[in-house]
């Protein structure tokens, strides 16, 4: 059993089915995600404040797969507010109190929606899920209570919007600082992979030890909690050349790098790990397409660490390349 779900799901096979259902619904809506990205980036102002802009972009482009447009307007509003305030644990105490209050309201509204959908004959396990909530309901056995289903949905909601938005923000910050206002000189995939190595949002993961064992000369007993830091693994000089440097070109040979665990590893890896990298890369590709990105008023790459490692606020200027070309032409004529 994976400790990630706590005691909310009754068996390991249900946990596996749950992860498969979440990945499936995200992949099913990948085309709509790309279309939403294209529209959202076009409408973005030329100056944006990050990482808030990354969270807003992540939520906007996944909103319809998180909750179908025909879903409850009140629930949709609560999801948007929760995305902005509590996608991951806020750093400030006053923000945490506000996030906790919003989360309680979201839980109540979700429980009502779960109850309605479960009693509606159109929402059955055999029906094609329209959104993430349908997928979560469809994979949960009848003995899983409505409030628990709501909690599982919130867990997935936060696991999608928060890591996606903050991983995108890290990619944009680190890639743009290295480019100094010029187009990125590496494939976007390399930048995203290196950002996930250099500043993994999940900086620490823990697992209960299933049986007595010894690691590194330390004895562990059944039930002991073993914590592993992806951040430290990604900065281990025994496995990485110049690990403190942000070097996207190291991914020209991705198979040469180990250990690389931005979304954990093994049978208990993140339920959305298989699609998470694709979502971040698609967003970064759309954002940087035919655009110059420049970071101003910031550039501090030290993370803010709570239950996640998030970027410090920074301002991003993004200018279409055709605009700069026109300005350069005008300057040349003068």
């Amino acid at each position: 059993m994976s400790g990630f779900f706590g005691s909310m799901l009754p068996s390991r096979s249900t946990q596996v089915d749950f992860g498969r259902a979440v990945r499936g619904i995200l992949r099913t809506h990948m085309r709509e995600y790309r279309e939403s990205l294209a529209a959202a980036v076009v409408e973005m102002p030329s100056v944006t404040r990050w990482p808030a802009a990354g969270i807003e972009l992540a939520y906007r482009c996944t909103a319809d797969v998180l909750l179908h447009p025909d879903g409850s307007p009140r629930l949709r509003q609560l999801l948007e507010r929760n995305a902005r305030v509590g996608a991951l644990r806020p750093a400030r105490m006053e923000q945490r109190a506000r996030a906790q209050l919003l989360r309680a309201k979201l839980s109540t509204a979700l429980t009502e929606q779960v109850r309605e959908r479960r009693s509606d004959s159109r929402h059955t396990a055999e029906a094609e899920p329209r959104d993430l909530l349908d997928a979560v309901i469809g994979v949960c056995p009848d003995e899983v209570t409505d409030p628990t289903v709501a909690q599982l949905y919130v867990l997935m909601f936060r696991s999608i919007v928060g890591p996606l938005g903050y991983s995108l923000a890290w990619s944009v910050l680190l890639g743009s600082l290295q480019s100094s206002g010029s187009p990125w000189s590496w494939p976007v995939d390399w930048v995203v992979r290196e950002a996930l190595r250099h500043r993994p949002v999940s900086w620490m993961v823990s697992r209960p030890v299933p049986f007595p064992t010894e690691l590194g000369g330390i004895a562990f007993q059944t039930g002991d909690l073993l914590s592993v830091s992806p951040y430290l693994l990604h900065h281990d000089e025994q496995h990485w050349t110049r690990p403190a440097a942000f070097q996207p070109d190291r991914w020209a040979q991705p198979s040469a790098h180990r250990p690389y665990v931005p979304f954990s590893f093994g049978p208990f890896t993140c339920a959305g790990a298989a699609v998470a990298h694709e979502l971040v890369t698609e967003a970064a590709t759309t954002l940087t397409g035919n655009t110059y990105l420049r970071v101003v008023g910031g550039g501090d790459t030290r993370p803010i660490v709570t239950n996640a490692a998030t970027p410090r606020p920074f301002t991003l200027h993004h200018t279409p390349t055709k605009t700069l070309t026109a300005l350069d032409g005008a300057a040349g004529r003068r």
Side-chain angles (χ1 to χ4, degrees):
M1 295 285 284
S2 169
F4 179 76
F5 298 102
S7 58
M8 291 187 285
L9 292 171
S11 66
R12 178 60 186 154
S13 61
T14 305
Q15 291 182 344
V16 172
D17 291 342
F18 188 95
R20 188 177 295 117
V22 171
R23 292 191 295 273
I25 193 69
L26 290 173
R27 290 198 181 281
T28 298
H29 288 260
M30 187 61 73
R31 181 177 61 83
E32 291 88 341
Y33 174 74
R34 294 191 184 100
E35 293 172 353
S36 295
L37 278 171
V41 169
V42 167
E43 295 172 6
M44 287 181 74
S46 59
V47 179
T48 48
R49 190 65 172 165
W50 291 70
I55 293 295
E56 185 173 347
L57 186 64
Y59 173 73
R60 174 175 174 176
C61 297
T62 57
D64 288 350
V65 65
L66 294 171
L67 185 69
H68 192 273
D70 292 341
S72 164
R74 176 171 174 265
L75 181 53
R76 197 175 183 93
Q77 182 183 52
L78 284 170
L79 286 171
E80 182 176 356
R81 292 175 64 191
N82 270 268
R84 291 177 176 175
V85 175
L88 290 175
R89 185 184 182 191
R92 296 179 180 176
M93 290 300 296
E94 64 271 20
Q95 292 176 323
R96 292 181 194 175
R98 185 183 174 197
Q100 187 173 3
L101 180 61
L102 278 173
R103 204 168 295 134
K105 292 181 178 179
L106 177 61
S107 180
T108 299
L110 272 169
T111 300
E112 294 175 0
Q113 183 72 186
V114 169
R115 187 176 297 114
E116 290 178 11
R117 291 199 185 189
R118 277 181 148 181
S119 62
D120 190 337
S121 59
R122 292 173 298 176
H123 298 280
T124 64
E126 292 76 24
E128 193 70 24
R130 302 182 306 162
D131 55 21
L132 178 66
L133 185 55
D134 273 355
V136 170
I137 292 173
V139 79
C140 286
D142 292 341
E143 64 265 28
V144 179
T145 65
D146 294 342
T148 300
V149 174
Q151 290 179 50
L152 285 163
Y153 176 88
V154 171
L155 181 63
M156 289 298 98
F157 166 74
R158 297 179 66 196
S159 298
I160 293 169
V161 176
L164 174 58
Y166 288 122
S167 295
L168 175 61
W170 276 123
S171 299
V172 167
L173 174 63
L174 297 169
S176 299
L177 286 175
Q178 286 289 96
S179 300
S180 302
S182 302
W184 289 0
S185 56
W186 321 273
V188 173
D189 178 74
W190 293 9
V191 175
V192 172
R193 288 184 185 277
E194 180 66 353
L196 291 172
R197 180 203 68 83
H198 193 60
R199 292 292 185 265
V201 173
S202 297
W203 68 277
M204 183 74 78
V205 294
S206 300
R207 298 287 184 268
V209 177
F211 47 79
T213 188
E214 183 177 304
L215 293 170
I218 300 174
F220 292 90
Q221 303 303 316
T222 302
D224 285 350
L225 196 63
L226 177 61
S227 296
V228 176
S229 172
Y231 181 91
L232 293 179
L233 290 174
H234 292 176
H235 288 77
D236 186 350
E237 293 182 349
Q238 296 184 42
H239 298 282
W240 300 88
T241 303
R242 298 186 62 207
F246 181 77
Q247 294 181 315
D249 54 359
R250 73 172 82 238
W251 293 98
Q253 296 181 318
S255 61
H257 304 294
R258 292 291 186 273
Y260 180 64
V261 290
F263 303 107
S264 190
F265 187 73
F268 299 132
T269 190
C270 171
V275 72
H277 177 83
E278 185 177 357
L279 293 172
V280 177
T281 304
E282 288 286 350
T285 299
T286 304
L287 189 63
T288 58
N290 300 315
T291 304
Y292 290 95
L293 301 180
R294 181 167 58 92
V295 175
V296 295
D300 188 344
T301 62
R302 294 174 301 163
I304 296 174
V305 179
T306 55
N307 64 331
T310 62
R312 296 171 186 270
F314 65 93
T315 300
L316 184 72
H317 284 238
H318 45 104
T319 308
T321 52
K322 61 181 180 181
T323 300
L324 288 181
T325 301
L327 291 174
D328 290 343
R333 288 191 296 274
R334 286 198 300 270

